Amino acid sequence: MNVSDVIISQLEKEGVRWIFGVPGEENIDFLEAVERSSIEFIVAKHEQTAAMMAGMVGKLSGTVGVCLSTLGPGATNMLTGVANATADAFPLIAISGQTHTNKMHQEAHQYIDLVSLFKPVTKKSETIREPETAQEIVQSAIQTAKAEKPGAVFLELPENVAELEVTRMAEDRPPIQATVQADDHTIQSVVEQINKAERPLVLVGNGVIRDHAHQEMITFAEAFQAPVVETFMGKGAVPWSHPLHVMSVGMKGEDIVDQALLHADLIVTVGYDYIEYPPAKWNKKATPIVHIHHDSPAIDKHYPVVATITGSLKQNLKRIGLITDQNKKNIDETFKQTRQAIRSEWEQAQHNQSYPLTPSKILYELRDALPEDGIVISDVGAHKLWLGRMFPVHQPHTCFISNGLATMGTALPQAIGAQLVHPSRPIVAVCGDGGFQMNVQELETAVRLQLPIIIMVWRDGGYGLIEWEQYTKHHHAHHISFQNPDLIDLAHAYGLEALRIDKALDLKPMLLQAIKMKKPVLIDCPVQYQIEGKE
């Protein structure tokens, strides 16, 4: 076996089924090893999107996603997708070819110090230089990428090292079990803090979903009869239908949920990561915090922690439930009103027949058309805020909203990755027309693989979120408009089916039609965002 074979062997043992990437001269020996393996190499149209596809596979599959680039511009193209995986906590191994080791000390064609380049956006970044270390490095990379908090690991593979023979294999590493249970005193102190609060509120973050602790989260909230607010990345940890579910936090400006957060006299954060939505945005009164997460809290004047539990969310939430007397105090009226207000707004959306369509109307019909296990992946733009704010989610891992790096252009490639993992479930990429055109080339990949993803493009001819910000701060907007091609013709040119919404009544029938087609479909959906102060 050569070094490339060893790397592939370790990935096979981990259960990796696909590697996404773009071939290059410096990774041809690695590609030969892939060809000899059970792993399928999927050619992407861009290295950035290869990383985005792989990141979503890592998120949904229970193993790591893997992407590949060549050296120089291939690797720099891949960088944003890798950074996105780390910021959004997707387990990813990013592998790049590199020039011969005897050229790395001097200026050489397409040579860049990739290890240094990737270090700030990964959990680990290193070079495989010796054949006997390849197995150990890959094993370590897999464990590092998957460990809480998940993220990306970058491995540089020089072209001459990739073909070297490996004469000695090491023992496989056992998986690291990092479960940590809090002691009884710590558990009891948290319970006391919550019990003495008159208006406790729970803020649920992405960590709950990562730890598969959604059922324990529900039991915890029920034990204290504490209403639950979720971050955009925590959607699905508590079902929308649950009587304690209030809504999501993350909308710009003053929203309904902000009143609930201001009203609380204690906020219990569970699995909340600062990167999702900074405390200064949602805790303006500096309400006391109980912090429950894998890691200790960071210091922040808007995050005044009075009690902390660190370690396994699944285990510690369960233990809290076991020692907590069922607290059946009535839910505060303000929380009830908040819950009712957003649900009333949601129900009213179904009757809106205006055209171009409103965001809430589009989301209402999308939710109505999809089964509960259908997966919605949001791109980044004004539509993301609407989807995060009011789209009902009933199960974990069925709604993905990037609030880490928040990279435009993610939805289409991530939908490709999601459809590979869940071939029988409907997958919808919700895109603004700006983000859609950033990675439109991956329509070819969806068609080539015959993946029945639905790409819904909210078309308004501009960068709507930036327009919103400009009107809010300066009362006018500029440099946000652009021309779209005919999206139907564009889709047909790539070989997709395509549908255009011409009136509000068309939307749900066309969504149901797209689901039944079982092939890639683009839906051109004109949207009108209501921006205060805009005529």
Side-chain angles (χ1 to χ4, degrees), residues 153-443:
V153 173
F154 174 72
L155 299 179
E156 177 185 69
L157 182 60
E159 59 179 328
N160 59 308
V161 177
E163 61 184 356
L164 293 177
E165 184 180 353
V166 177
T167 58
R168 179 176 56 84
M169 297 289 286
E171 293 292 327
D172 286 341
R173 289 187 179 192
I176 297 173
Q177 301 296 329
T179 299
V180 178
Q181 292 190 17
D183 58 62
D184 292 342
H185 174 74
T186 302
I187 294 284
Q188 190 61 49
S189 68
V190 164
V191 171
E192 290 172 1
Q193 288 285 345
I194 301 173
N195 279 336
K196 74 180 184 181
E198 295 182 3
R199 302 179 303 279
L201 184 71
V202 180
L203 176 63
V204 178
N206 185 242
V208 172
I209 295 176
R210 292 199 302 269
D211 208 17
H212 302 282
H214 42 281
Q215 190 56 58
E216 289 78 7
M217 180 65 249
I218 294 169
T219 302
F220 171 87
E222 290 173 345
F224 295 102
Q225 282 295 287
V228 175
V229 169
E230 62 197 3
T231 65
F232 286 4
M233 295 176 73
K235 288 176 75 72
V238 175
W240 164 275
S241 57
H242 195 283
L244 291 173
H245 184 281
V246 179
M247 62 177 287
S248 303
V249 62
M251 195 72 167
K252 293 182 178 296
E254 294 294 325
D255 197 18
I256 301 168
V257 73
D258 293 296
Q259 297 307 311
L261 287 158
L262 289 169
H263 186 64
D265 64 348
L266 180 73
I267 299 174
V268 183
T269 65
V270 185
Y272 159 74
D273 302 320
Y274 279 40
I275 198 170
E276 298 183 65
Y277 195 56
K281 295 287 183 73
W282 55 263
N283 196 16
K284 295 174 184 177
K285 284 176 54 180
T287 301
I289 300 288
V290 169
H291 174 89
I292 304 175
H293 207 344
H294 282 269
D295 300 320
S296 299
I299 297 172
D300 190 309
K301 68 179 181 180
H302 291 282
Y303 202 75
V305 175
V306 295
T308 299
I309 294 177
T310 57
S312 165
L313 294 177
K314 197 174 184 71
Q315 293 298 321
N316 288 327
L317 289 174
K318 184 176 182 179
R319 292 189 63 221
I320 292 171
L322 290 174
I323 70 165
T324 302
D325 294 330
Q326 294 296 308
N327 189 335
K328 295 302 182 184
K329 63 184 177 183
N330 293 326
I331 301 173
D332 186 89
E333 193 63 30
T334 297
F335 297 142
K336 290 182 181 179
Q337 292 171 0
T338 302
R339 173 183 162 82
Q340 184 56 42
I342 189 64
R343 279 157 176 76
S344 296
E345 185 180 339
W346 174 252
E347 291 300 326
Q348 290 168 12
Q350 66 178 305
H351 305 297
N352 192 328
Q353 301 302 321
S354 60
Y355 185 86
L357 285 77
T358 63
S360 55
K361 173 66 173 180
I362 299 171
L363 294 176
Y364 188 93
E365 301 297 358
L366 177 61
R367 179 70 280 172
D368 205 32
L370 283 177
E372 289 192 359
D373 69 347
I375 296 175
V376 173
I377 300 172
S378 177
D379 214 288
V380 175
H383 65 284
K384 181 189 87 167
L385 297 182
W386 282 99
L387 200 149
R389 175 180 185 260
M390 67 188 311
F391 185 70
V393 180
H394 305 292
Q395 299 178 17
H397 290 116
T398 58
C399 182
F400 293 93
I401 301 174
S402 174
N403 246 21
L405 196 62
T407 309
M408 291 181 73
T410 57
L412 173 54
Q414 287 184 348
I416 290 171
Q419 194 76 78
L420 286 166
V421 177
H422 294 299
S424 63
R425 290 161 66 174
I427 313 287
V428 180
V430 177
C431 309
D433 45 3
F436 169 68
Q437 290 195 72
M438 288 191 175
N439 280 320
V440 66
Q441 73 280 351
E442 297 307 338
L443 291 177

